[in-house]
Amino acid sequence: MSHYPFPDESGRYGAFGGRYVPETLMSALLQLEQDYLRLSRDESFQEELKYYLQQYAGRPTPLYYAERLTKHLGGPKVYLKREDLNHTGAHKINNAIGQALLALRTGKRRVIAETGAGQHGVATATVAARFGLECTVFMGEEDMRRQALNVFRMRMLGGEVVAATSGTRTLKDATNEAIRHWVAHVDDTHYIIGSVVGPHPYPMIVRDFQRIIGDEAKAQILQQEGRLPTSVVACVGGGSNAMGIFYPFIEDDGVELIGCEAAGHGLGTAYHAASIARGRPGVLHGAKTMLLQDEYGQVQPAHSISAGLDYPGIGPEHAHLAATGRATYVPVTDDEALEAFFLLSKLEGIIPALESAHAVAYLMREAGRYGPNDVVVVCLSGRGDKDVEQVAAREGDEVNGSHP
Amino acid sequence: MDRIRDAFQASHKLLVPFVVAGDPDYARSLHIATAILDAGADMLEIGFPYSDPLADGPVIQAAAVRSLKQGTRLVDCLRLVRDVRARSPKPLVAFTYVNPLIQYGAERFFSELAAAGGDGVIVPDVPLEEAGEVASAAEAHGIQFIPLVAPTSGEERVRAIVQAARGFVYCVSSLGVTGERQQVSRQVRELVDLVRKHTDLPACVGFGVSQPEHVREISEFADGVIVGSAYVRRIGDALREGRDPVDAVRSFTEQLKQAARESTHPR
């Protein structure tokens, strides 16, 4: 494959991306792009970023050979990229640190963020605490209920959590509220978008701050196996962990890139979040991308058991990778993800986030495609502590003997 | 025929109200629109309801929800333009987010908007950089593509934006989404001056304009005043209190129109 040139100068990934935002934000986005491009070449910025990723977030994360899972599945040799071992429990901290440093370098003392599962909100509140920034996180009212523990964590860290009560009261609406707030406070506030979504330059910035996942995984698999993997598998909501691990492999034609979309109750129902499988090109949150929508372009509610995948759009670069066939996007249902959640817990002693369980579930289903000489890297994007209560309630179990 | 240009030939400053199509239902939104124009408004912005209105505050969001719950589709919004046109010769401007427009197809959208008697379009989430395709489809069908400029735009952007503008230039009064504000920001006068420096097109001010005093103040330096949330809220309040929203918008229009007329500043 030839050199991969995206995004282009207009912020596009082929037919996707761009900047569909109110004029009030345009100057800020253009300035952010300039500042970011300058800092991405600035050695002292890169050194500072590296320092915090190592000393604060705990990087590099291991690439762990999941021996018992491998034996159980009887297919490929499975490695887990352990993003769950990061400080705050997910890959989100990589981007939050990068963007907090960006905010500091551009003189912004206040940051805002949207969050679905709460992982990005927690990561943002964490770095805001560390760097002394004022922090407001927008979260759907429904997600605040599903992820009450993370709401508490954000508040403990000094963050203000604002409930998004419009629309479906999930990640989509939290993002709307964050953008609206940013329109009103763009002069003193940096918006730390949590995924590879939104107007240019955000999908590029978030991808670049997350590519550390793929850079490390590539070096680690070469060291441990002496070759590139057959497949790299990651879950996709907005798609930041997937874009982060895919990006360094894009020009390695032999490596299959597989994104797992939340199929919720199934693609045959109205309850899923599979924007590649069931969406059409449209504009959401400032970017042209694949979008769940009705005939008239009204955005349709998404559904997933995992709040972090419960999003009717997807990052524009994923839409591009799907359109060109460079990456493949597959649906994984709530039930499959739950099964993987339990399997990984019991076999490896690793409780995955429900989001990440979608990637493990793909392998459970498709292990038969692979032979014993195949190597698969799965991005274990986060840990599942936040989901234990929800899963227990759903399964009718008891947590500490006291849960209904 | 250029209804927008003709409207700005008036000796007074223009009052441009905004309402959401299908709020609270089709029939009443037609009555409301007609009553506003009959009561003296000079032009009407018709908002096409959208599920994710990024540039709108809670009042207009709620109206969009009310309308969508009634089952309003884009074809119904175009029908409303046609039905209002049958009752009034004044300029009608569609306010729509980009996604419904491109799903319908830009060509088809503007051809049908023109056939319905629409004069202009405002697409709040299409900045200059993304305007090409939409603006040229509008132009091809004689629909004026009215751009927004903001206090954050800066002179370079304002100059580029107004060069591509048609109809008039929509000056966003202050940072933030649509919604009523207590006072008119000082920045907006500078913004209007900047627009005037680079174009002869009329400059109208919107976002946050909610009271006759605001209209009076803005009419001193701009060519027109756009009032949205204050109308939409009156419609919602009237419904909740069991009053006729048509009466509410009629008397509000008369008040605002009076304020616009009081401006002594010549055009």
Side-chain angles (χ1 to χ4, degrees):
Chain A
M1 186 175 179
S2 59
H3 176 64
Y4 178 82
F6 301 105
D8 65 19
E9 275 179 12
S10 61
R12 289 190 183 264
Y13 306 83
F16 302 101
R19 278 175 287 230
Y20 295 88
V21 295
E23 169 60 21
T24 305
L25 293 181
M26 279 305 295
S27 290
L29 288 173
L30 295 168
Q31 185 64 48
L32 178 63
E33 182 181 3
Q34 272 185 25
D35 289 338
Y36 172 74
L37 291 175
R38 177 173 50 80
L39 288 169
S40 67
R41 291 185 294 263
D42 179 317
E43 233 169 79
S44 76
F45 180 83
Q46 293 304 328
E47 280 303 311
E48 197 179 4
L49 176 60
K50 194 172 155 193
Y51 172 83
Y52 287 107
L53 288 174
Q54 288 179 356
Q55 301 301 319
Y56 189 68
R59 302 205 72 89
T61 59
L63 184 70
Y64 164 72
Y65 169 45
E67 189 180 357
R68 294 195 71 210
L69 179 66
T70 295
K71 284 189 177 138
H72 175 84
L73 294 177
K77 203 166 174 187
V78 181
Y79 283 84
L80 303 177
K81 180 58 176 165
R82 296 291 308 276
E83 292 301 300
D84 60 314
L85 293 177
N86 279 312
H87 180 41
T88 71
H91 70 292
K92 295 292 187 187
I93 194 80
N94 303 328
N95 169 54
I97 290 175
Q99 289 206 50
L101 294 176
L102 191 53
L104 286 172
R105 295 273 185 135
T106 54
K108 303 280 164 63
R109 304 302 306 177
R110 190 165 175 272
V111 294
I112 58 168
E114 84 295 338
T115 197
Q119 292 302 106
H120 174 58
V122 166
T124 302
T126 297
V127 297
R130 171 59 187 79
F131 295 110
L133 298 164
E134 206 183 309
C135 170
T136 301
V137 178
F138 295 86
M139 188 170 188
E141 205 174 34
E142 168 69 11
D143 290 337
M144 288 177 73
R145 186 187 61 72
R146 288 196 279 191
Q147 302 287 347
L149 184 63
N150 272 342
V151 175
F152 188 61
R153 286 168 80 194
M154 286 184 268
R155 288 179 173 153
M156 279 183 68
L157 291 159
E160 178 195 15
V161 182
V162 175
T165 56
S166 58
T168 53
R169 304 190 309 269
T170 59
L171 178 56
K172 166 179 85 82
D173 305 283
T175 308
N176 285 338
E177 287 309 322
I179 295 175
R180 288 181 185 125
H181 182 92
W182 197 37
V183 173
H185 299 91
V186 64
D187 44 357
D188 68 348
T189 298
H190 176 70
Y191 178 17
I192 303 189
I193 290 189
S195 194
V196 286
V197 302
H200 180 66
Y202 276 107
M204 171 181 75
I205 291 177
V206 178
R207 175 195 73 192
D208 290 357
F209 284 140
Q210 292 293 1
R211 70 169 290 170
I212 185 94
I213 307 172
D215 286 333
E216 285 178 9
K218 193 170 181 176
Q220 288 165 321
I221 200 70
L222 286 173
Q223 201 208 348
Q224 292 175 53
E225 285 290 331
R227 63 193 164 108
L228 292 172
T230 313
S231 306
V232 175
V233 184
C235 67
V236 185
S240 70
N241 89 89
M243 210 53 243
I245 198 165
F246 287 177
Y247 186 55
F249 291 100
I250 283 182
E251 293 181 10
D252 299 312
D253 283 345
V255 179
E256 192 180 39
L257 306 176
I258 298 166
C260 302
E261 293 196 286
H265 296 182
L267 294 189
T269 73
Y271 301 96
H272 62 76
S275 36
I276 297 284
R278 287 290 181 271
R280 285 179 291 124
V283 172
L284 180 67
H285 297 146
K288 193 173 274 185
T289 189
M290 295 295 281
L291 178 60
L292 299 178
Q293 56 186 321
D294 72 10
E295 167 190 8
Y296 285 101
Q298 306 291 344
V299 181
Q300 296 294 94
H303 166 85
S304 170
I305 189 173
S306 68
L309 304 184
D310 196 344
Y311 185 67
I314 187 169
E317 192 163 13
H318 286 297
H320 172 66
L321 293 176
T324 59
R326 179 61 193 95
T328 307
Y329 296 82
V330 296
V332 173
T333 65
D334 287 353
D335 288 343
E336 290 175 306
L338 271 173
E339 205 183 322
F341 179 89
F342 287 117
L343 185 77
L344 195 68
S345 301
K346 295 212 168 98
L347 282 181
E348 297 286 353
I350 297 170
I351 302 176
L354 279 173
E355 290 79 7
S356 323
H358 284 72
V360 177
Y362 166 79
L363 269 192
M364 288 173 65
R365 189 172 75 203
E366 303 292 340
R369 280 184 58 212
Y370 297 93
N373 293 325
D374 287 316
V375 171
V376 173
V377 172
V378 176
C379 189
L380 201 72
S381 55
R383 69 181 183 221
D385 308 41
K386 69 183 175 61
D387 298 315
V388 166
E389 199 181 358
Q390 188 196 355
V391 171
R394 181 181 163 121
E395 297 297 303
D397 276 348
E398 293 188 357
V399 176
N400 296 331
S402 64
H403 198 278
Chain B
M1 175 186 51
D2 187 339
R3 293 190 196 95
I4 293 178
R5 193 189 55 209
D6 293 350
F8 283 104
Q9 303 305 314
S11 58
H12 57 82
K13 300 306 179 70
L14 269 53
L15 172 64
V16 185
F18 164 99
V19 290
V20 174
D23 171 35
D25 55 44
Y26 186 84
R28 280 187 285 180
S29 76
L30 176 58
H31 284 142
I32 287 167
T34 311
I36 289 172
L37 289 167
D38 288 350
D42 302 288
M43 190 185 313
L44 187 67
E45 250 185 63
I46 297 178
F48 287 31
Y50 181 47
S51 57
D52 291 77
L54 266 190
D56 283 305
V59 170
I60 293 175
Q61 285 175 45
V65 169
R66 283 198 294 270
S67 175
L68 291 172
K69 275 194 179 148
Q70 290 292 317
T72 305
R73 302 158 303 165
L74 191 137
V75 285
D76 302 311
C77 302
L78 291 168
R79 179 158 64 102
L80 183 69
V81 173
R82 198 175 62 218
D83 287 349
V84 176
R85 170 59 63 232
R87 290 160 175 78
S88 172
K90 291 175 178 171
L92 302 175
V93 173
F95 180 104
T96 179
Y97 286 85
V98 68
N99 196 49
L101 193 163
I102 59 180
Q103 296 310 320
Y104 200 69
E107 277 296 321
R108 181 179 169 209
F109 178 84
F110 290 115
S111 132
E112 294 182 17
L113 179 61
D119 302 288
V121 69
I122 296 166
V123 191
D125 53 351
V126 167
L128 179 66
E129 284 79 350
E130 307 292 354
E133 201 183 324
V134 174
S136 49
E139 178 111 38
H141 294 282
I143 296 292
Q144 322 239 29
F145 187 84
I146 298 155
L148 292 92
V149 295
T152 50
S153 297
E155 182 157 6
E156 202 182 317
R157 288 188 65 76
V158 166
R159 190 177 55 216
I161 291 167
V162 302
Q163 267 169 16
R166 299 286 183 274
F168 66 89
V169 179
Y170 191 136
C171 303
V172 174
S173 72
S174 53
L175 302 191
V177 293
T178 60
E180 299 170 72
R181 317 225 208 291
Q182 287 308 309
Q183 39 188 307
V184 177
S185 90
R186 244 175 265 147
Q187 306 165 294
V188 71
R189 189 186 281 258
E190 290 164 30
L191 181 61
V192 170
D193 288 345
L194 203 52
V195 168
R196 295 215 189 284
K197 189 172 156 193
H198 295 289
T199 182
D200 294 331
L201 282 178
C204 295
V205 171
F207 280 45
V209 184
S210 61
Q211 298 160 21
E213 297 84 81
H214 298 167
V215 172
R216 203 169 291 126
E217 191 180 338
I218 291 167
S219 295
E220 292 296 322
F221 58 88
D223 302 306
V225 187
I226 301 157
V227 183
S229 294
Y231 270 96
V232 173
R233 181 173 60 77
R234 276 170 175 76
I235 294 167
D237 287 352
L239 291 168
R240 212 171 17 257
E241 293 159 14
R243 292 180 287 115
D244 186 353
V246 172
D247 293 337
V249 299
R250 188 181 290 122
S251 66
F252 188 47
T253 303
E254 286 161 0
Q255 284 177 48
L256 297 181
K257 181 69 181 182
Q258 183 60 33
R261 280 189 196 286
E262 282 165 16
S263 163
T264 51
H265 189 79
R267 247 196 66 73

